[in-house]
Structures are given as C-alpha cells and as structure tokens.
Amino acid sequence: MTELMQQILERKRARRRALAALPVGEKLRMLEKMIADTRAIVATHPPKPANPVRHPRSR
C-alpha cells in the first residue's frame, strides 16, 4: 500500500473514532444537517432547457 493510501486510511479511522465518541444527540444533529444540506443542493439545480436542440434525423 502506498504512503498516500495509508494516510487516507488513517484519517478515515480517526474520523470514525471521533464520530463513535460523540453522543447520540450530536450524531443525529449532524445527520439532520447533512440531509438539509443535500436537499438544498438538489433544490438549486439549474432548470433544464425549454427548447433542447434536436438532431434532424431523430424526429
């Protein structure tokens, strides 16, 4: 395993340990915030074009 992969795995393990040490209420608040952030991102997608360009042969 390369040095970079080992560093990434160690950071991942450290985050898991830190998350496991948190109280359940804090984990739930974090989860609610993540869900809210995801919904905000989904809601801000640009609208699809009203008149998409079509290939002449696809009619």
Side-chain angles (χ1 to χ4, degrees), residues 1 3 10-14 19-20 22 31 34-35 39 45 48-49:
M1 204 178 323
E3 171 101 17
E10 187 54 41
R11 276 184 264 152
K12 187 175 180 179
R13 288 182 189 123
L19 186 59
L22 290 175
L31 180 60
M34 288 167 44
I35 291 170
R39 286 186 179 146
H45 282 297
K48 292 185 179 181

Side-chain angles (χ1 to χ4, degrees):
M1 204 178 323
T2 66
E3 171 101 17
L4 178 61
M5 289 174 67
Q6 288 177 347
Q7 289 175 358
I8 291 170
L9 284 174
E10 187 54 41
R11 276 184 264 152
K12 187 175 180 179
R13 288 182 189 123
R15 280 193 304 262
R16 272 194 205 146
R17 280 187 227 114
L19 186 59
L22 290 175
V24 174
E26 183 63 28
K27 290 178 194 178
L28 290 174
R29 278 190 285 280
M30 289 172 64
L31 180 60
E32 288 172 351
K33 186 179 180 329
M34 288 167 44
I35 291 170
D37 291 346
T38 302
R39 286 186 179 146
I41 291 169
V42 170
T44 59
H45 282 297
K48 292 185 179 181
N51 221 350
V53 177
R54 292 190 180 137
H55 195 274
R57 286 188 240 160
S58 64
R59 292 182 185 178

